[in-house]
Amino acid sequence: MTPTGPGRGSSKGTRLTRAAAACLLTASGYAHVAALWYRELTEPALLDALLGATYLIIALGLLGHSRFSLFIGAVLPATIATVLYNTVPEPSDIYRLRMGADAIVALLCALVLWRVRNVPSD
């Protein structure tokens, strides 16, 4: 049975949750890359742009049916949010928004991955 047919991970709620994670990750990735036009070109700015490009690639994968993109979509944003939380002593509003978006994407991807793994197939 294929992942697109009836069975594992094909419910409307799962597809909607996956699409929401992809949209949020796309917006975050776009914001990371677009920030290059508003920031000085330093090493942290270029690393943020590279992270944004990575987010865009993961978001593209989330629009498909791969479990790997769900795993990476849960792990990478959660790791980045944790690192930001532990390294930025007084985060500005934009960093709080970034950490919140990363946490939401990680939770949505983890939820879909759990559903795909634990919902019995028809």
Side-chain angles (χ1 to χ4, degrees):
M1 186 156 312
T2 64
T4 57
R8 292 189 179 261
S10 67
S11 72
K12 185 176 182 178
T14 300
R15 289 191 306 260
L16 187 62
T17 307
R18 192 174 185 135
C23 288
L24 191 56
L25 203 57
T26 300
S28 181
Y30 177 72
H32 279 80
V33 174
L36 281 177
W37 278 267
Y38 300 104
R39 293 173 64 179
E40 189 176 319
L41 280 180
T42 60
E43 186 177 328
L46 292 176
L47 288 175
D48 275 350
L50 179 63
L51 180 65
T54 305
Y55 278 8
L56 290 172
I57 292 169
I58 295 169
L60 219 98
L62 287 174
L63 294 174
H65 298 285
S66 171
R67 288 184 193 171
F68 179 72
S69 59
L70 286 171
F71 177 75
I72 295 299
V75 171
L76 186 64
T79 303
I80 297 300
T82 304
V83 167
L84 281 176
Y85 180 76
N86 290 325
T87 58
V88 179
E90 290 291 325
S92 64
D93 290 339
I94 195 75
Y95 275 104
R96 288 183 188 154
L97 180 65
R98 181 178 170 183
M99 288 187 286
D102 284 348
I104 290 170
V105 167
L107 289 173
L108 289 174
C109 287
L111 176 66
V112 173
L113 188 60
W114 182 82
R115 281 182 187 167
V116 168
R117 295 286 300 157
N118 293 316
V119 172
S121 61
D122 294 336

